[in-house]
Each structure stands twice: as structure tokens, then as C-alpha cells.
Amino acid sequence: MKLNYYGHSCFSVVAGGKHILFDPFITGNELAKEINIDEIKADYIFVSHGHYDHILDVETIANRTGAMVVGIYEVYDYFSKKGVKNVHPLNPGGKVTFDFGTAKSFIAQHSASFPDGSYAGVACGYALTTDDGNLYYSGDTGLTLDMELVAKWVDLDFAVFPIGDMLTMGVEDAIEAAKLVKANKVLGVHYDTFGFIKIDKDEAVSEFEKAGLKLFLPGIGESIEI
């Protein structure tokens, strides 16, 4: 599966002939200043929760591309009221079939509010099944045994976990999360953007290797096959 990394927790995959974008926070990320959001392709935008560093560029990209924005009901309501035309609700426990495959939402252990401080419901992650491969994006979360439910629903080709610690899981817990969801390939996200989530990337890769797992840390703007 082709994957493009845009910094922080934002990435996209091409599956079922569709461009699927996750948590677009680009224009507010100094590390991603070389990325032109007007060039990003998107047929779907999955939003894990309402924090600004996951939704900042949703409206702009959705309005330009006509992409369907997918999130919990509060996210659906928030962007609908902002005039985004193509929005679909998907709460934890629910699943829906789109033209690229099926998406199921899972609970994440994390706080959630919109930039104006209003209630943003709960945080979540998504597992996607497609003809080109299956993935799980946990969203911002701490380690939770609920992740075992993902492996009961889908056989994963790879998982996407935050590894920056402090506000989410760190490397140690992300390794345990990979074991719970039975994924031996992991894309690490949510690190280095802010001072308190900076990591030693070489050490992180080494720790995953010691656990028999492969950690991918592509550069911002880099495309990889995973």
C-alpha cells in the first residue's frame, strides 16, 4: 500500500483506487512548511478527534476536493455546521462500507475538545479493510487492552501509532500495542512536532527491532510502500 506522510499524525494511503487522508494538520506545523496542502489529494478524510492538531486543515482540503469527512457524531455535526457538504458520522463500535472497503471505529483513550473549547465527544481510531491491504490507525491514545478487539475484527498489514509520549503512548507502549493488534509493521506518528514530544528516532527504531517489529519513520513529504 502506498503511504504519504505529511507530518505530525497526518498521512494518506491509496487503497481501492481512493486517496484516504487522516488527521490533516499541516499549515500549523512548522516542520511541514514545505507541504502545499493545495496539492494533497483526498477522497476521504478520517478524523480521530477534535484537537486542533488533528483537524486544522480538514475544512480547507474537504472544500477543495469534495472529500467525505468521517468522524464521530460530534465531528460530523461540527463540520456540517461549518458548511462542509460531504460528512459522514461513525462512532466507536460502528462500521460502514465505502467504495474503497470497510471502516470500523474503535475507542481511543484520549481527551477531546474542539479549538473553541466546545465538547468534541470521544477520541477514536479506525481499522480499514481494503483489497489493497488492511490498516489500523489508533489516533491519539494511551495503551489500552481494548486494542485486542481490533485483532478480532481484522488481520492487519500494518498499524499506525503515536510514539511521542507525554500526551499519548510512547515507544514502549506502542510496541505493546502492536502486539495486541498483531501487527509487525508500524508507522510512528505524533512525535517531534512540539518540544515535549521530541524523541530519539534511532533509539525508537532499535527498540522496535529488539521486539521483532519494524518501525517506519518516513520524512515529511515522503512516500513509502508499506
Side-chain angles (χ1 to χ4, degrees):
M1 188 180 292
K2 182 180 179 181
L3 184 147
N4 299 288
Y5 182 56
Y6 298 113
H8 199 50
S9 293
C10 182
F11 65 99
S12 69
V13 296
V14 180
K18 301 299 180 180
H19 291 82
I20 307 167
L21 183 67
F22 296 82
D23 283 355
F25 169 71
I26 299 165
T27 58
N29 181 2
E30 179 65 21
L31 300 179
K33 61 184 178 182
E34 301 302 322
I35 302 296
N36 181 356
I37 66 169
D38 291 332
E39 296 177 351
I40 293 176
K41 297 178 181 179
D43 297 296
Y44 293 86
I45 301 173
F46 280 80
V47 178
S48 66
H49 65 292
H51 284 161
Y52 84 102
D53 59 327
H54 293 258
I55 71 168
L56 181 64
D57 297 311
V58 169
E59 190 176 353
T60 298
I61 296 174
N63 287 340
R64 175 179 59 82
T65 62
M68 176 179 287
V69 177
V70 182
I72 67 165
Y73 184 83
E74 285 78 7
V75 167
Y76 162 82
D77 187 56
Y78 178 83
F79 284 110
S80 294
K81 289 177 178 176
K82 282 184 168 292
V84 177
K85 302 299 184 184
N86 199 5
V87 192
H88 196 292
L90 183 60
N91 270 25
K95 68 177 184 297
V96 62
T97 297
F98 295 118
D99 52 6
F100 66 80
T102 298
K104 185 173 176 64
S105 178
F106 292 87
I107 195 70
Q109 295 298 327
H110 190 67
S111 58
S113 59
F114 291 115
D116 62 4
S118 61
Y119 176 65
V122 297
C124 67
Y126 302 98
L128 272 57
T129 64
T130 81
D131 288 340
D132 296 310
N134 305 325
L135 70 95
Y136 168 56
Y137 169 46
S138 71
D140 281 9
T141 188
L143 180 63
T144 170
L145 289 175
D146 285 341
M147 291 174 178
E148 291 180 339
L149 298 174
V150 177
K152 291 180 181 292
W153 186 70
V154 62
D155 293 325
L156 294 173
D157 293 286
F158 69 95
V160 182
F161 292 130
I163 58 172
D165 219 336
M166 197 71 69
L167 300 177
T168 66
M169 295 186 292
V171 169
E172 182 179 359
D173 281 355
I175 289 171
E176 293 304 311
K179 295 175 182 177
L180 289 176
V181 302
K182 300 181 180 178
N184 58 19
K185 296 179 181 178
V186 172
L187 174 72
V189 297
H190 205 280
Y191 66 91
D192 280 5
T193 315
F194 314 113
F196 39 83
I197 59 171
K198 289 188 179 299
I199 67 168
D200 184 321
K201 291 186 283 188
D202 290 337
E203 182 179 350
V205 170
S206 176
E207 289 301 310
F208 269 79
E209 287 180 349
K210 290 177 184 177
L213 305 170
K214 174 68 174 177
L215 177 65
F216 294 83
L217 298 177
I220 295 174
E222 185 179 351
S223 298
I224 62 172
E225 295 286 337
I226 187 170

